[in-house]
Coordinates of all heavy atoms in Angstrom, one line a residue:
T347 N 26.6 1.9 -93.6 CA 25.3 2.0 -94.1 C 25.3 1.7 -95.6 O 26.3 2.1 -96.3 CB 24.7 3.3 -93.8 OG1 25.5 4.4 -94.4 CG2 24.5 3.6 -92.3
I348 N 24.1 1.2 -96.1 CA 24.0 1.1 -97.6 C 22.5 1.0 -97.8 O 21.8 0.2 -97.2 CB 24.7 -0.2 -98.1 CG1 24.6 -0.3 -99.6 CG2 24.2 -1.4 -97.5 CD1 25.4 -1.4 -100.3
A349 N 22.0 1.9 -98.7 CA 20.6 1.9 -99.1 C 19.6 1.8 -97.9 O 18.6 1.0 -97.9 CB 20.3 0.7 -100.1
G350 N 19.9 2.6 -96.9 CA 19.0 2.6 -95.7 C 19.2 1.6 -94.7 O 18.7 1.6 -93.6
A351 N 20.1 0.6 -95.0 CA 20.4 -0.4 -94.0 C 21.7 -0.1 -93.2 O 22.6 0.5 -93.8 CB 20.6 -1.8 -94.7
R352 N 21.6 -0.3 -91.9 CA 22.8 0.1 -91.1 C 23.1 -1.1 -90.2 O 22.3 -1.8 -89.7 CB 22.5 1.3 -90.3 CG 23.7 1.7 -89.4 CD 23.5 3.1 -88.8 NE 22.4 3.0 -87.8 CZ 22.6 2.7 -86.5 NH1 23.8 2.4 -86.0 NH2 21.5 2.7 -85.7
G353 N 24.4 -1.3 -90.0 CA 24.9 -2.4 -89.1 C 26.4 -2.6 -89.1 O 27.1 -1.8 -89.7
S354 N 26.8 -3.7 -88.6 CA 28.2 -4.0 -88.6 C 28.7 -4.4 -90.0 O 27.9 -4.7 -90.9 CB 28.5 -5.2 -87.7 OG 28.0 -6.4 -88.2
I355 N 30.0 -4.5 -90.2 CA 30.6 -4.9 -91.5 C 30.1 -6.3 -91.9 O 30.0 -6.6 -93.0 CB 32.1 -4.8 -91.5 CG1 32.7 -5.6 -90.3 CG2 32.6 -3.3 -91.5 CD1 34.3 -5.7 -90.4
H356 N 29.9 -7.1 -90.8 CA 29.5 -8.5 -91.1 C 28.0 -8.5 -91.5 O 27.6 -9.2 -92.4 CB 29.8 -9.4 -89.9 CG 31.1 -9.2 -89.3 ND1 32.3 -9.5 -90.0 CD2 31.5 -8.7 -88.1 CE1 33.3 -9.2 -89.2 NE2 32.9 -8.7 -88.1
K357 N 27.2 -7.8 -90.7 CA 25.8 -7.8 -90.9 C 25.4 -7.2 -92.3 O 24.6 -7.8 -93.0 CB 25.1 -7.0 -89.8 CG 23.5 -7.0 -90.0 CD 22.9 -6.1 -88.8 CE 21.4 -6.0 -89.0 NZ 20.8 -5.2 -87.9
I358 N 26.0 -6.1 -92.7 CA 25.7 -5.5 -93.9 C 26.3 -6.3 -95.1 O 25.7 -6.4 -96.2 CB 26.3 -4.0 -94.0 CG1 25.6 -3.2 -92.9 CG2 26.0 -3.4 -95.3 CD1 24.0 -3.2 -93.0
G359 N 27.5 -6.9 -94.9 CA 28.0 -7.8 -95.9 C 27.1 -9.0 -96.2 O 26.9 -9.3 -97.4
A360 N 26.5 -9.5 -95.2 CA 25.5 -10.6 -95.3 C 24.2 -10.1 -96.0 O 23.7 -10.8 -96.9 CB 25.2 -11.3 -94.0
H361 N 23.8 -8.9 -95.6 CA 22.6 -8.3 -96.1 C 22.6 -8.1 -97.6 O 21.7 -8.5 -98.3 CB 22.3 -7.0 -95.4 CG 21.2 -6.2 -96.0 ND1 19.9 -6.5 -95.9 CD2 21.3 -5.0 -96.7 CE1 19.2 -5.6 -96.6 NE2 20.0 -4.7 -97.1
V362 N 23.7 -7.5 -98.1 CA 23.8 -7.2 -99.5 C 23.9 -8.5 -100.4 O 23.6 -8.5 -101.6 CB 25.0 -6.3 -99.9 CG1 24.8 -4.9 -99.1 CG2 26.3 -6.9 -99.5
Q363 N 24.4 -9.6 -99.8 CA 24.6 -10.8 -100.5 C 23.4 -11.8 -100.3 O 23.3 -12.8 -101.0 CB 25.8 -11.6 -100.1 CG 27.1 -10.8 -100.4 CD 28.3 -11.6 -99.8 OE1 28.9 -12.4 -100.5 NE2 28.7 -11.3 -98.6
D364 N 22.4 -11.3 -99.5 CA 21.3 -12.2 -99.1 C 21.8 -13.5 -98.6 O 21.3 -14.6 -99.0 CB 20.4 -12.4 -100.3 CG 19.0 -13.0 -99.9 OD1 18.7 -12.8 -98.7 OD2 18.4 -13.6 -100.7
A365 N 22.9 -13.4 -97.7 CA 23.5 -14.6 -97.2 C 23.3 -14.7 -95.7 O 23.0 -13.7 -95.0 CB 25.0 -14.6 -97.5
P366 N 23.4 -15.9 -95.1 CA 23.1 -16.0 -93.7 C 24.3 -15.4 -92.8 O 24.0 -15.0 -91.7 CB 23.1 -17.5 -93.5 CG 23.8 -18.1 -94.6 CD 23.5 -17.2 -95.8
A367 N 25.5 -15.3 -93.4 CA 26.6 -14.8 -92.6 C 27.6 -14.3 -93.6 O 27.6 -14.6 -94.8 CB 27.2 -15.8 -91.7
C368 N 28.5 -13.4 -93.1 CA 29.6 -12.9 -93.9 C 30.8 -12.5 -93.0 O 30.6 -11.9 -91.9 CB 29.1 -11.7 -94.7 SG 30.4 -10.7 -95.6
N369 N 32.0 -12.7 -93.5 CA 33.2 -12.2 -92.8 C 33.5 -10.8 -93.4 O 34.1 -10.7 -94.5 CB 34.4 -13.1 -93.0 CG 35.6 -12.7 -92.3 OD1 35.7 -11.5 -91.8 ND2 36.6 -13.5 -92.2
G370 N 33.0 -9.8 -92.8 CA 33.2 -8.4 -93.3 C 34.6 -8.0 -93.5 O 34.9 -7.2 -94.4
W371 N 35.5 -8.6 -92.7 CA 36.9 -8.2 -92.8 C 37.5 -8.6 -94.2 O 38.4 -7.9 -94.7 CB 37.8 -8.9 -91.7 CG 37.5 -8.3 -90.3 CD1 36.8 -8.9 -89.3 CD2 37.9 -7.0 -89.9 NE1 36.7 -8.1 -88.2 CE2 37.4 -6.9 -88.5 CE3 38.6 -5.9 -90.4 CZ2 37.6 -5.8 -87.8 CZ3 38.8 -4.8 -89.6 CH2 38.3 -4.7 -88.3
T372 N 37.1 -9.7 -94.7 CA 37.6 -10.1 -96.1 C 36.7 -9.7 -97.2 O 37.1 -9.6 -98.4 CB 37.8 -11.6 -96.1 OG1 36.6 -12.3 -95.8 CG2 38.9 -12.0 -95.1
F373 N 35.4 -9.3 -96.9 CA 34.5 -9.0 -97.9 C 34.6 -7.5 -98.4 O 34.6 -7.2 -99.6 CB 33.0 -9.2 -97.4 CG 32.0 -8.8 -98.4 CD1 31.7 -9.6 -99.5 CD2 31.2 -7.6 -98.3 CE1 30.7 -9.3 -100.5 CE2 30.3 -7.3 -99.2 CZ 30.0 -8.1 -100.3
W374 N 34.9 -6.6 -97.4 CA 34.9 -5.2 -97.7 C 36.3 -4.7 -98.0 O 37.3 -5.1 -97.4 CB 34.3 -4.4 -96.6 CG 32.9 -4.6 -96.4 CD1 32.3 -5.2 -95.3 CD2 31.8 -4.2 -97.2 NE1 30.9 -5.2 -95.4 CE2 30.6 -4.6 -96.6 CE3 31.7 -3.5 -98.4 CZ2 29.3 -4.3 -97.2 CZ3 30.5 -3.2 -99.0 CH2 29.3 -3.7 -98.4
Y375 N 36.4 -3.8 -99.0 CA 37.7 -3.2 -99.4 C 37.6 -1.7 -99.3 O 36.5 -1.1 -99.1 CB 38.0 -3.5 -100.9 CG 38.5 -5.0 -101.1 CD1 37.7 -6.1 -100.9 CD2 39.8 -5.2 -101.6 CE1 38.1 -7.3 -101.1 CE2 40.3 -6.5 -101.8 CZ 39.4 -7.5 -101.6 OH 39.9 -8.8 -101.8
Y376 N 38.8 -1.1 -99.3 CA 38.9 0.4 -99.3 C 39.9 0.8 -100.2 O 40.7 0.0 -100.7 CB 39.2 0.9 -97.8 CG 40.6 0.7 -97.5 CD1 41.5 1.8 -97.4 CD2 41.2 -0.6 -97.2 CE1 42.9 1.6 -97.1 CE2 42.5 -0.8 -96.8 CZ 43.3 0.3 -96.8 OH 44.7 0.1 -96.5
E377 N 40.0 2.1 -100.6 CA 41.0 2.6 -101.5 C 42.2 3.2 -100.6 O 41.9 4.0 -99.8 CB 40.5 3.7 -102.4 CG 39.6 3.1 -103.5 CD 39.3 4.2 -104.6 OE1 39.6 5.4 -104.3 OE2 38.6 3.8 -105.6
K378 N 43.3 2.6 -100.9 CA 44.5 3.1 -100.1 C 44.8 4.6 -100.5 O 44.8 4.9 -101.7 CB 45.7 2.2 -100.4 CG 45.6 0.8 -99.9 CD 46.8 0.0 -99.9 CE 47.2 -0.3 -101.4 NZ 48.4 -1.2 -101.5
K379 N 45.1 5.3 -99.5 CA 45.4 6.8 -99.7 C 46.7 7.0 -100.5 O 47.0 8.0 -101.1 CB 45.4 7.5 -98.4 CG 44.1 7.6 -97.7 CD 44.1 8.3 -96.4 CE 42.8 8.5 -95.8 NZ 42.2 7.2 -95.4
T380 N 47.6 6.0 -100.3 CA 49.0 6.1 -100.9 C 48.9 6.0 -102.5 O 49.6 6.8 -103.2 CB 49.9 5.1 -100.4 OG1 49.3 3.8 -100.5 CG2 50.2 5.3 -98.9
D381 N 48.2 5.0 -103.0 CA 48.2 4.8 -104.4 C 46.8 4.7 -105.0 O 46.7 4.4 -106.2 CB 49.1 3.6 -104.8 CG 48.6 2.4 -104.0 OD1 47.5 2.3 -103.5 OD2 49.4 1.4 -104.0
G382 N 45.8 4.7 -104.2 CA 44.4 4.6 -104.7 C 44.0 3.2 -105.1 O 42.9 3.0 -105.7
K383 N 44.9 2.2 -104.8 CA 44.5 0.8 -105.1 C 43.7 0.2 -104.1 O 43.7 0.6 -102.9 CB 45.8 0.0 -105.3 CG 46.6 0.4 -106.5 CD 47.9 -0.4 -106.7 CE 48.7 -0.1 -107.9 NZ 49.9 -0.9 -108.1
P384 N 42.8 -0.7 -104.5 CA 41.9 -1.4 -103.5 C 42.7 -2.3 -102.6 O 43.6 -3.0 -103.0 CB 40.9 -2.1 -104.3 CG 41.6 -2.4 -105.6 CD 42.5 -1.2 -105.8
A385 N 42.3 -2.5 -101.3 CA 42.9 -3.4 -100.4 C 41.8 -3.8 -99.4 O 40.9 -3.0 -99.1 CB 44.1 -2.8 -99.7
P386 N 41.8 -5.1 -98.9 CA 40.9 -5.5 -97.9 C 41.1 -4.8 -96.6 O 42.2 -4.5 -96.2 CB 41.1 -7.0 -97.8 CG 42.5 -7.2 -98.2 CD 42.8 -6.1 -99.3
I387 N 40.0 -4.5 -95.9 CA 40.1 -3.8 -94.6 C 40.8 -4.6 -93.6 O 41.3 -4.1 -92.6 CB 38.7 -3.3 -94.1 CG1 37.8 -4.5 -93.9 CG2 38.1 -2.3 -95.1 CD1 36.4 -4.2 -93.3
D388 N 40.9 -5.9 -93.9 CA 41.6 -6.8 -93.0 C 43.1 -6.4 -92.9 O 43.8 -6.7 -91.9 CB 41.5 -8.3 -93.5 CG 41.8 -9.3 -92.3 OD1 41.6 -8.9 -91.2 OD2 42.2 -10.4 -92.6
D389 N 43.6 -5.8 -93.9 CA 45.0 -5.2 -93.9 C 45.2 -4.2 -92.8 O 46.2 -4.1 -92.1 CB 45.4 -4.6 -95.2 CG 45.6 -5.7 -96.3 OD1 45.5 -6.9 -96.0 OD2 45.9 -5.3 -97.5

C-alpha cells in the first residue's frame, strides 16, 4: 500500500510512476537486515 492505494508490487509500481506497466521485482527495494543496505526484492 501507498497513499491509500493497494495492489500488487507491479500494480503499485506502475501507479506511483503513472506508467502503463512496471516490473515490481526490479523496481522495489528493501533494507537488508544484515547491514541495512538497500537491495532489490528480486534478490
Side-chain angles (χ1 to χ4, degrees):
T347 59
I348 184 171
R352 181 172 67 86
S354 70
I355 55 173
H356 313 296
K357 179 180 178 180
I358 298 303
H361 169 72
V362 298
Q363 298 176 87
D364 194 24
C368 171
N369 182 350
W371 290 107
T372 56
F373 179 75
W374 295 109
Y375 283 66
Y376 76 106
E377 285 189 355
K378 294 190 290 183
K379 295 179 175 63
T380 53
D381 55 15
K383 293 182 178 179
I387 60 173
D388 202 25
D389 288 356

